[in-house]
Amino acid sequence: MVKILKILNHNSIIVYHEDETQLILHRGIGFGKKIDSTLKIPKEAKVFRIQPLSERSKQDQLLNKLDPIYIEVASDILTHAQAHHPEIGDYKILPLADHIAFAIQRIQNNLKINNPFSHEIRSLYPEAWKVARISREIIFNKLGYLINDDEIGFITLHLHGSQTESRDEGFIAAMIVNESITEIEKEYDIQIDMHSLSYSRLMVHLKFLIARLQNEEDLTLDMEAYTKKEIPESYELAKRIVIRISKALEKPVPKTETGYLAVHIERIIKEAK
């Protein structure tokens, strides 16, 4: 049995269960119910862990302002995502619902907010992007509004953040990649083909570079001396990018990372010339 904390509408309620709050979605589950009463969760109900009680103030703010329809939409998106990737957590359903509500509000007011890192997000997190792309159909079927690829990029970060790093860290990663590519193009007066193999390799390298920093892992082979001597221009550019990464993530970057990054930069420059 669970205790009802809040009734959102006839189909959605918030309950207290095992030291945490949960969102329960099921047709008619809130009809005729009262706060503080108890009930048994139906087997067919969708159950989402929201946050431990220590986070109640944050979740209450979202629950008080969100139309339940956006929670239902976020539920459908997460249910689809978890069917393909069970490791995706459900505790970010409210932030996702809040983002969808804000996106629809922008569309209603004819405001377009661009996501300048949408291509980088797609390259860094291709699996999360594929899942997030289904959200366009879900949102259109439920709400009648069609979101663009920029919004899919933001939803990708929500889904990816549910698995590993936070959404903010995912956005920082995309920003760093975008700035790095821009710096390479400006430095060498070239146009990098974002569909090329060298670009994809650079994306993968930067993605795992950031992951290594998050996990405090080090590369075992040191190529710094070699790259510093043989490809000095690429090495200096790699060093500047590494400094930016270190500042953005507030983490020290081992010198071994600079050499490996220089190799990828050299490859992408040669291909673009």
Side-chain angles (χ1 to χ4, degrees):
M1 301 292 285
V2 297
K3 182 179 180 180
I4 298 177
L5 295 178
K6 190 178 184 69
I7 299 169
L8 302 179
N9 61 12
H10 287 173
N11 303 320
S12 53
I13 60 174
I14 304 297
V15 303
Y16 171 56
H17 181 58
E18 296 182 352
D19 295 327
E20 67 180 22
T21 48
Q22 297 177 346
L23 168 66
I24 312 297
L25 299 178
H26 186 65
R27 183 177 295 276
I29 194 168
F31 181 75
K33 301 297 190 303
K34 295 182 179 180
I35 294 176
D36 291 333
S37 62
T38 59
L39 58 76
K40 184 177 181 180
I41 301 175
K43 291 183 179 180
E44 303 81 10
K46 293 181 181 179
V47 180
F48 293 93
R49 172 181 177 269
I50 301 179
Q51 289 290 356
L53 288 182
S54 60
E55 300 290 330
R56 279 285 300 279
S57 60
K58 295 179 182 178
Q59 74 174 28
D60 284 347
Q61 290 176 9
L62 286 177
L63 287 171
N64 288 332
K65 75 172 184 176
L66 275 174
D67 185 325
I69 186 61
Y70 297 115
I71 296 176
E72 292 181 17
V73 172
S75 162
D76 289 347
I77 293 172
L78 279 180
T79 298
H80 170 80
Q82 290 168 336
H84 294 80
H85 301 279
E87 71 277 9
I88 292 179
D90 55 22
Y91 59 89
K92 290 197 174 182
I93 185 171
L94 293 183
L96 177 58
D98 186 49
H99 175 79
I100 294 169
F102 186 45
I104 299 304
Q105 183 181 13
R106 291 199 299 267
I107 294 175
Q108 291 171 337
N109 294 328
N110 295 316
L111 297 174
K112 182 178 180 181
I113 297 182
N114 293 324
N115 180 352
F117 311 116
S118 101
H119 188 90
E120 285 73 25
I121 292 169
R122 184 174 185 174
S123 298
L124 287 169
Y125 314 118
E127 292 303 316
W129 176 279
K130 289 178 184 177
V131 176
R133 194 168 54 188
I134 303 299
S135 64
R136 177 156 37 209
E137 181 179 350
I138 293 173
I139 290 171
F140 181 75
N141 289 339
K142 283 271 189 177
L143 304 173
Y145 293 96
L146 194 64
I147 62 172
N148 59 20
D149 281 356
D150 289 342
E151 291 293 353
I152 289 176
F154 288 126
I155 292 175
T156 297
L157 291 180
H158 276 281
L159 296 178
H160 179 77
S162 296
Q163 301 175 67
T164 52
E165 65 200 39
S166 73
R167 185 174 63 91
D168 290 340
E169 288 171 341
F171 191 81
I172 289 172
M175 180 184 68
I176 290 170
V177 171
N178 180 275
E179 290 178 350
S180 300
I181 294 298
T182 300
E183 184 168 352
I184 292 170
E185 290 181 326
K186 183 178 180 180
E187 183 84 8
Y188 292 93
D189 191 25
I190 57 176
Q191 183 70 41
I192 294 173
D193 181 3
M194 293 186 177
H195 301 288
S196 66
L197 179 59
S198 58
Y199 176 84
S200 297
R201 286 173 174 169
L202 179 62
M203 288 292 103
V204 172
H205 178 77
L206 286 170
K207 173 182 177 179
F208 284 104
L209 187 161
I210 292 169
R212 284 193 293 273
L213 294 182
Q214 300 293 351
N215 297 325
E216 298 182 353
E217 298 175 354
D218 293 332
L219 290 168
T220 55
L221 182 61
D222 189 350
M223 297 182 65
E224 186 189 22
Y226 170 81
T227 54
K228 190 174 183 178
K229 179 182 178 180
E230 299 296 329
I231 48 175
E233 291 182 353
S234 294
Y235 175 82
E236 288 301 317
L237 181 54
K239 189 164 68 172
R240 294 202 300 271
I241 291 172
V242 162
I243 290 173
R244 181 187 296 121
I245 292 172
S246 179
K247 289 181 178 178
L249 297 180
E250 298 181 347
K251 291 179 178 291
V253 181
K255 287 186 177 181
T256 51
E257 293 289 357
T258 305
Y260 272 96
L261 181 57
V263 171
H264 285 279
I265 291 173
E266 181 72 12
R267 182 185 291 122
I268 204 169
I269 291 169
K270 285 184 176 179
E271 184 174 296
K273 285 183 176 179

